[in-house]
Amino acid sequence: VLITLEALEDGPLPFDEVFAASKIDFAVAGLRQTAPLHVQGTASAIEREIHIRGGLTTQVEMECARCLDPVVRAVKSDFDLFYQPLDESPEGNELVVPKGEEELGFYSGEGVVLEDVAKEQVLLSLPMRTVCREDCKGLCPTCGINRNRETCQCKPTGGDPRWAALQNL
Ligand SMILES: [Zn+2]
Ligand SMILES: [Zn+2]
């Protein structure tokens, strides 16, 4: 879904779209869209700057950082974004940079692709590191079993650093 500058010439336009599960490709290993993504809001233009404001909800599945089990997360994100034409940006980069309370991005061509906006917002809403639960024991570094489900006989490697510190006293 392309929101073009031309379409906004006569005034703000509401949008309300649903992208089916797996429609959005996050291009991040282990991250999948497992429920429809619903995005709605309003787009408007101030000269050649496109302003997109709204919210989205979806559900994603990713890997636990410790045990690699799938973790399902509901995503809800509100956004207020400004996009300038890429040819007017001095550096030509597409990074979204903070602009006070809002965020500023760039678009190339005729306008902003709504799927890309949604993708970016989902990625921004996710934590740097996801664990299936706070006390996840992770995988055994020696034999690789999931220590949440099984116990192995491997000897601990290195030991607890707190004990090592005490021994050095
Ligand atoms: Zn885990
Ligand atoms: Zn083991």
Side-chain angles (χ1 to χ4, degrees), residues 93-108:
N93 69 57
E94 293 186 52
L95 287 175
V96 172
V97 292
K99 178 191 175 187
E101 292 287 297
E102 309 97 8
E103 286 175 280
L104 177 64
F106 299 99
Y107 67 90
S108 54

Side-chain angles (χ1 to χ4, degrees), residues 2 5 7 9 16-17 30 33 38 52 62 66 72 74 84 87 95 97 102 122 144 156 160-161:
L2 183 68
L5 189 63
E9 270 176 358
D16 190 336
E17 298 286 338
Q33 180 203 351
H38 184 200
I52 298 182
M62 58 207 134
R66 291 187 204 147
V72 173
Q84 289 184 349
D87 56 20
L95 287 175
V97 292
E102 309 97 8
V122 170
D160 188 331

Side-chain angles (χ1 to χ4, degrees), residues 64 66-67 132 136 148:
C64 169
R66 291 187 204 147
C67 71
C132 58
C136 171
N148 297 318

Side-chain angles (χ1 to χ4, degrees), residues 58-155:
T58 187
Q59 192 183 70
V60 295
E61 185 185 278
M62 58 207 134
E63 286 175 351
C64 169
R66 291 187 204 147
C67 71
L68 307 181
D69 265 4
V71 184
V72 173
R73 281 280 144 88
V75 174
K76 189 174 186 302
S77 168
D78 291 323
F79 48 83
D80 192 352
L81 308 160
F82 292 85
Y83 291 87
Q84 289 184 349
L86 192 58
D87 56 20
E88 286 179 8
S89 71
E91 299 297 323
N93 69 57
E94 293 186 52
L95 287 175
V96 172
V97 292
K99 178 191 175 187
E101 292 287 297
E102 309 97 8
E103 286 175 280
L104 177 64
F106 299 99
Y107 67 90
S108 54
E110 291 170 64
V112 177
V113 179
L114 196 54
E115 285 91 328
D116 290 345
V117 174
K119 176 162 70 181
E120 183 110 12
Q121 293 307 304
V122 170
L123 291 174
L124 285 172
S125 75
L126 297 175
M128 289 292 288
R129 200 179 140 84
T130 298
V131 288
C132 58
R133 55 183 212 228
E134 273 309 309
D135 64 346
C136 171
K137 297 191 190 76
L139 303 176
C140 169
T142 308
C143 70
I145 67 150
N146 184 332
R147 293 191 288 198
N148 297 318
R149 290 194 285 263
E150 290 174 78
T151 310
C152 61
Q153 302 304 320
C154 301
K155 295 215 165 44

